[in-house]
Amino acid sequence: QVQLVESGGGLVPAGGSLTLSCAASGDTFDDYAMAWFRQAPGMKREFVAAVSGGNGANKYYMDSLKGRFTVSRNNAVNTVSLQMNLLKPEDTAVYYCAASHYGDGVMPVLSYTTSYMAWGQGTQVTVSS
C-alpha cells in the first residue's frame, strides 16, 4: 500500500505562485496514476489534475484550471508536483494528493474520487485578495 505526504502549501497573495509536492512511499510508484484534488470549506472534494502512470505522458486538468496549473511526476524520487500560477482567492482549499491503480486511466475515470485507493493528509493553500 502506498503512503502519500503532501507539502508546499501556505499563504500567498492573489496572482502569486505555489508548488505543491507529494512524496510517495511503500509500493511501486511508477504503476500508479497520480492526482491532485482540493476541498474548500463546505464544498465537495473536486478534481484538480492527474498524470498517468509510467512516464506520465498523459495529463488531465479541470477545465477552468488549464493554463494556470501544471502537474508532473518524477519517478526517480517518487514524487508528484502541482505548479500553481496566477492564484486566485477561489483556489483556497485543502489540496490532496491521491494514487490510483488505473495507471492507464483516462478521463472521466481519473476525475472520480472513487478511482483512488490512497490519499495524503492534505496541505492548506490560502490565497489572499
Side-chain angles (χ1 to χ4, degrees):
Q1 180 72 16
V2 64
Q3 291 85 43
L4 305 173
V5 178
E6 302 96 337
S7 61
L11 175 64
V12 62
S17 298
L18 273 178
T19 299
L20 306 182
S21 293
C22 173
S25 62
D27 213 326
T28 308
F29 178 74
D30 303 27
D31 291 344
Y32 299 120
M34 299 296 297
W36 290 94
F37 286 75
R38 68 186 183 185
Q39 189 167 18
M43 305 293 286
K44 293 194 313 181
R45 191 167 298 189
E46 65 177 2
F47 172 77
V48 172
V51 56
S52 58
N55 64 8
N58 297 316
K59 299 178 181 181
Y60 308 95
Y61 299 92
M62 181 196 299
D63 285 344
S64 62
L65 299 177
K66 288 179 182 176
R68 293 199 297 123
F69 287 19
T70 302
V71 63
S72 61
R73 67 186 300 153
N74 185 336
N75 293 338
V77 292
N78 285 9
T79 59
V80 60
S81 299
L82 183 69
Q83 172 70 41
M84 306 184 292
N85 298 323
L86 298 174
L87 284 162
K88 304 175 181 180
E90 51 264 43
D91 294 319
T92 295
V94 177
Y95 283 70
Y96 297 91
C97 173
S100 172
H101 284 300
Y102 299 116
D104 294 328
V106 295
M107 295 294 277
V109 172
L110 289 181
S111 69
Y112 304 151
T113 57
T114 51
S115 296
Y116 296 85
M117 80 292 179
W119 294 83
Q121 82 289 350
T123 186
Q124 176 71 46
V125 172
T126 303
V127 184
S128 61
S129 57

